[in-house]
Amino acid sequence: MNDLGQDLELRLVRYFTVVAAHQHFGRAAADLHVAQPALSRQIQRLEKYLGTRLLDRAHQGTRLTPAGERFLPRAQALLQAARQAELAAREQAETERITIGYVEDLVITAAVRELRRRYPAAEIATRHLNCRDIGALSNKRVDALIARAPLPLAADDVFTTPLYDEPRMLVVPRSHPLADRASVTADELAGEEAAPCAFETADWASYRILGAGVPPIESYEDKLELVASGRAIAVFPVGDRRSSLRPDLVTVPIEGAPPSQVVLVSRKGDPNPMIRNLRLAAKTVLTAPAA
């Protein structure tokens, strides 16, 4: 008759398999680093729980009873299953870790909060990046990147998930002829010369500086300073509110321009399951800021 209200202890099962392997209590006790009388008592506990003898004890050694012979392969399988479960849990714990990169003015707090709510045991870190740090994904300093397309990353190397789109706005100094307009059209800007940029090379990159003879500029603050000085105008996503902090600049909506797209990018083939989890969380909670 077994111990009522108690489950089978894996420790006792392991003790039994070691005794069965050695066919000797003394050698099994030495292998397990326990005293022989203590080992004998534990085997008796197991037999009491199962309601049958598993081992016949004799001076020349120990033999399995018919019940012990039937129990042994199942006991070994039980211990193996327990070990596999432990390894799976440890492996999962090791992979529940992610570093999320984000750029410019993007706010990813909602996605990070949602990811932490869904996976409270995971280790989740964030890292703010500027355009010079975009290689952080390729060199594995971050596991995923939330940024505005297009990105200077090879399409064959990354997996891209669109999150949301934003309209464009024109940023001009208060003295500019377009500053008082309710809106401008993309066609009106078509004749403006775009300044070269080492980071964004597409015709409608998320951040464009328009003006003849303007040198390449990477720093966002330097772009604003150039616009404020009257040497250029800029096209930014409407979600970027940093230009509104300067009283010498004005924003004007642009009609007919392709939207700026915010995307989540990860390395192709990366087995980290937290990347997929982030993707699902980000698609659920990240939306374009209200205009």
Side-chain angles (χ1 to χ4, degrees):
M1 183 174 179
N2 64 29
D3 297 332
L4 295 178
Q6 295 186 7
D7 295 326
L8 181 62
E9 294 184 33
L10 290 179
R11 179 173 60 92
L12 302 184
V13 176
R14 177 169 173 264
Y15 284 179
F16 163 74
T17 61
V18 175
V19 174
H22 287 286
Q23 295 187 355
H24 193 281
F25 268 85
R27 290 192 292 269
D31 190 4
L32 292 167
H33 303 288
V34 299
Q36 183 173 334
L39 176 59
S40 181
R41 287 194 297 271
Q42 297 306 316
I43 295 299
Q44 290 172 1
R45 281 188 58 203
L46 177 62
E47 291 174 329
K48 181 180 179 181
Y49 177 90
L50 295 174
T52 185
R53 289 181 63 83
L54 300 175
L55 297 163
D56 281 332
R57 299 154 180 83
H59 292 296
Q60 64 271 26
T62 302
R63 293 182 303 175
L64 291 170
T65 66
E69 290 178 350
R70 293 192 64 185
F71 183 62
L72 179 59
R74 292 169 174 81
Q76 293 169 331
L78 179 62
L79 293 174
Q80 178 65 20
R83 178 58 177 165
Q84 291 175 345
E86 178 185 352
L87 292 175
R90 291 183 182 276
E91 181 180 354
Q92 181 66 22
E94 290 175 357
T95 56
E96 285 188 344
R97 181 183 298 111
I98 188 171
T99 300
I100 309 165
Y102 64 104
V103 300
E104 299 296 345
D105 69 307
L106 293 179
V107 177
I108 65 169
T109 306
V112 175
R113 183 187 297 117
E114 176 65 12
L115 192 62
R116 286 178 173 148
R117 184 190 68 80
R118 297 184 183 187
Y119 304 93
E123 182 180 326
I124 302 169
T126 60
R127 176 172 291 178
H128 182 267
L129 306 171
N130 59 42
C131 61
R132 295 179 181 176
D133 295 328
I134 207 68
L137 182 66
S138 302
N139 62 30
K140 299 184 178 182
R141 286 188 290 128
V142 300
D143 301 299
L145 173 65
I146 298 178
R148 288 189 172 90
L151 297 170
L153 300 171
D156 293 340
D157 297 335
V158 297
F159 184 83
T160 302
T161 302
L163 296 178
Y164 60 86
D165 292 342
E166 288 183 347
R168 311 293 184 115
M169 64 182 180
L170 184 67
V171 181
V172 296
R174 287 195 174 275
S175 58
H176 195 276
L178 298 177
D180 294 330
R181 293 275 296 272
S183 66
V184 297
T185 66
D187 291 341
E188 291 179 272
L189 303 177
E192 296 284 348
E193 180 179 342
C197 178
F199 176 50
E200 295 167 322
T201 57
D203 289 341
W204 276 100
S206 293
Y207 291 84
R208 303 179 71 206
I209 297 296
L210 307 177
V214 177
I217 297 176
E218 293 185 358
S219 164
Y220 181 87
E221 290 73 18
D222 288 340
K223 291 176 182 178
L224 291 185
E225 189 60 35
L226 189 72
V227 172
S229 69
R231 296 181 58 197
I233 58 177
V235 175
F236 292 166
V238 296
D240 191 328
R241 308 293 175 79
R242 291 174 292 177
S243 62
S244 64
L245 300 177
R246 294 191 55 147
D248 51 355
L249 297 177
V250 172
T251 61
V252 182
I254 303 176
E255 298 178 1
S260 169
Q261 188 174 66
V262 175
V263 298
L264 188 155
V265 185
S266 60
R267 295 180 294 273
K268 278 189 178 179
D270 193 325
N272 187 344
M274 288 300 294
I275 296 175
R276 176 181 179 275
N277 298 337
L278 170 64
R279 187 178 298 120
L280 295 175
K283 290 180 71 174
T284 300
V285 300
L286 288 188
T287 59

